[in-house]
């Protein structure tokens, strides 16, 4: 089933950031979002995931089809790695975490509280959560932040596996992940006409 976005307009707070966004996404395909800081990549991903309602336009899928991973890891600091994963597995109606643990090499972190993990370890644990959602579309905002080269490759293999089983991904990243069937979408042409005049420099890195 092909997913589509037509005439989407997105906002950050009261600021209209993007308009006229349109693209299709087929099973097994990844779309890489590109554009300078402040172009609206994060805003678009949050809109697709249902975290910010669109101002106009339509999407052929529901936010319930989308698993979102943003800048924050979304971990409970006082829970262990295993407890964090089991919490999210239960949210999505699963009781299996073994595949996610193996994919992100988390065996040594299962008994460690998240508050005692390094930034890279937290990021791996947070990304492993994607595998528990069962959702068809992954919307990922700079997912490789804090990951070393080895774990970037590990993450890329995870995305490849998701695509190979008919999933799709929309990823804001400046790193070449070497993904098959990936194409680039530049958000620059969709910048709202009023955005350049209204944008507060403080917000640029947030959208």
């Amino acid at each position: 089933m092909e997913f589509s976005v037509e005439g989407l307009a997105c906002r950050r707070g009261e600021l209209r950031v993007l308009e006229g966004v349109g693209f299709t996404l087929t099973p097994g395909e990844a779309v890489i979002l590109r554009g300078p800081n402040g172009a609206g990549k994060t805003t678009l991903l949050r809109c697709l995931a249902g975290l910010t309602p669109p101002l106009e336009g339509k999407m052929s899928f529901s936010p319930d089809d989308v698993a979102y991973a943003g800048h924050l890891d979304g971990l409970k600091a006082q829970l262990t790695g295993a407890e964090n994963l089991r919490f999210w597995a239960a949210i999505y109606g699963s009781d299996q975490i073994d595949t996610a643990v193996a994919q992100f090499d988390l065996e040594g972190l299962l008994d460690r509280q998240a508050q005692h993990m390094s930034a890279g370890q937290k990021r791996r644990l947070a990304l492993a959560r994607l595998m528990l959602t069962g959702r068809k579309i992954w919307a990922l905002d700079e997912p490789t932040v804090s990951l070393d080269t080895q774990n970037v490759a590990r993450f890329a293999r995870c995305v490849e596996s998701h695509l190979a089983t008919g999933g799709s991904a929309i990823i804001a990243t400046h790193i070449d992940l070497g993904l098959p069937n990936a194409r680039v979408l530049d958000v620059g042409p969709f910048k709202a006409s009023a955005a350049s005049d209204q944008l507060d420099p403080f917000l640029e890195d947030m959208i």
Side-chain angles (χ1 to χ4, degrees):
M1 173 182 172
E2 184 178 83
F3 300 105
S4 64
V5 174
E6 299 179 31
L8 202 68
C10 309
R11 64 181 175 86
R12 172 74 185 190
E14 299 303 316
L15 175 66
R16 186 183 181 97
V17 176
L18 298 170
E19 58 190 11
V21 179
F23 62 91
T24 59
L25 186 65
T26 59
E29 182 182 41
V31 169
I32 308 299
L33 298 182
R34 292 284 164 78
N37 289 343
K41 301 183 294 296
T42 294
T43 296
L44 176 57
L45 289 171
R46 290 178 58 83
C47 190
L48 297 176
L51 300 177
T52 304
L55 294 172
E56 57 192 50
K58 58 183 180 179
M59 300 178 284
S60 68
F61 52 90
S62 163
D64 288 339
D65 295 318
V66 181
Y68 174 75
H71 295 160
L72 300 178
D73 292 324
L75 303 174
K76 297 290 186 181
Q78 295 184 349
L79 296 185
T80 65
E83 289 168 339
N84 269 285
L85 289 177
R86 290 192 184 109
F87 170 81
W88 286 107
I91 291 292
Y92 293 110
S94 172
D95 59 0
Q96 297 296 320
I97 66 171
D98 292 348
T99 301
V101 169
Q103 179 68 58
F104 285 93
D105 190 26
L106 297 172
E107 290 87 349
L109 300 175
L110 293 180
D111 295 326
R112 187 182 306 179
Q113 290 182 331
Q115 64 185 335
H116 299 310
M117 296 180 189
S118 70
Q121 290 168 337
K122 290 178 183 178
R123 176 56 52 155
R124 282 158 49 205
L125 182 59
L127 291 173
R129 186 173 68 219
L130 292 167
M131 301 183 66
L132 307 176
T133 67
R135 296 190 172 184
K136 299 177 181 179
I137 304 172
W138 290 0
L140 311 175
D141 193 3
E142 299 294 347
T144 59
V145 169
S146 300
L147 295 184
D148 58 24
T149 301
Q150 181 181 25
N151 283 302
V152 168
R154 181 174 279 121
F155 166 72
R157 289 194 296 270
C158 177
V159 177
E160 287 178 9
S161 177
H162 177 64
L163 300 178
T165 56
S168 303
I170 308 169
I171 310 172
T173 181
H174 296 286
I175 294 178
D176 182 4
L177 297 172
L179 297 175
N181 302 321
R183 58 188 172 90
V184 173
L185 177 66
D186 184 355
V187 301
F190 303 113
K191 188 171 185 178
S193 56
S196 60
D197 296 329
Q198 298 179 31
L199 189 61
D200 183 334
F202 178 74
L203 295 177
E204 287 192 357
D205 290 334
M206 300 173 63
I207 62 175

